[in-house]
Amino acid sequence: MQIQPYISFNGNCQEAVEFYADVFGTDIPEIILFGDRLPEPEAVEQDRSDKVVIRADLEADEIRMLLSATPQKSPDIQKDKMTLVIFSDDLDEIKILYYKLKDGGTVEMELQETFWSKVYGSLVDKFGVSWQLNYDDGRMSQVV
């Protein structure tokens, strides 16, 4: 079973897709726009311009994120906090991802040693998405 995060953005989805493609070192995926899929009168009626993202699938290694724009007439669905957790046994990868994601964001916990991880950090990126990064060095299995 896979769990894939689906993240909605209010007005800046295309920018977010490009940012995450850069962070994870992958190609920018196909971005499907409302104007490409709905006839013009229907798209205008639904307050969805031809620049609004219906969906983009971002894949890097074993990570797959689905991203879209929040329809303007929908309530803000990012009020609830969503956290994405990255586990890696590559310390350099953890550091690179942490510093890229924190650019323009807010650090909740700097990279540091904890009882469950030799290196752990948490932050909210510039798009309001919460991240936790864990260096998976086998400690967690020793703690549990």
Side-chain angles (χ1 to χ4, degrees), residues 3 31 48 102:
I3 298 174
I31 297 173
R48 296 176 174 132
K102 87 173 204 173

Side-chain angles (χ1 to χ4, degrees), residues 45-106:
E45 180 181 307
Q46 294 186 24
D47 241 359
R48 296 176 174 132
S49 75
D50 60 351
K51 305 255 187 243
V52 177
V53 176
I54 290 178
R55 180 169 161 168
D57 293 5
L58 185 65
E59 295 186 46
D61 295 326
E62 294 180 25
I63 297 171
R64 182 176 178 204
M65 295 191 309
L66 308 173
L67 304 99
S68 72
T70 303
Q72 290 179 352
K73 293 185 178 179
S74 295
D76 181 10
I77 62 173
Q78 283 192 298
K79 287 182 182 173
D80 295 328
K81 184 176 180 180
M82 178 181 67
T83 301
L84 302 175
V85 183
I86 298 173
F87 291 94
S88 177
D89 61 1
D90 182 337
L91 184 55
D92 290 333
E93 179 179 50
I94 288 292
K95 289 178 180 179
I96 289 167
L97 291 173
Y98 176 84
Y99 288 109
K100 283 184 173 184
L101 287 167
K102 87 173 204 173
D103 183 26
T106 304

Side-chain angles (χ1 to χ4, degrees), residues 94-95 98-99 107 109-113 119-122 133:
I94 288 292
K95 289 178 180 179
Y98 176 84
Y99 288 109
V107 173
M109 180 184 255
E110 290 286 349
L111 288 177
Q112 60 190 273
E113 187 169 354
V119 178
Y120 168 86
S122 65
L133 296 97

Side-chain angles (χ1 to χ4, degrees), residues 22-34:
D22 179 59
V23 166
F24 293 107
T26 187
D27 293 332
I28 296 174
E30 176 185 9
I31 297 173
I32 303 169
L33 304 174
F34 277 104

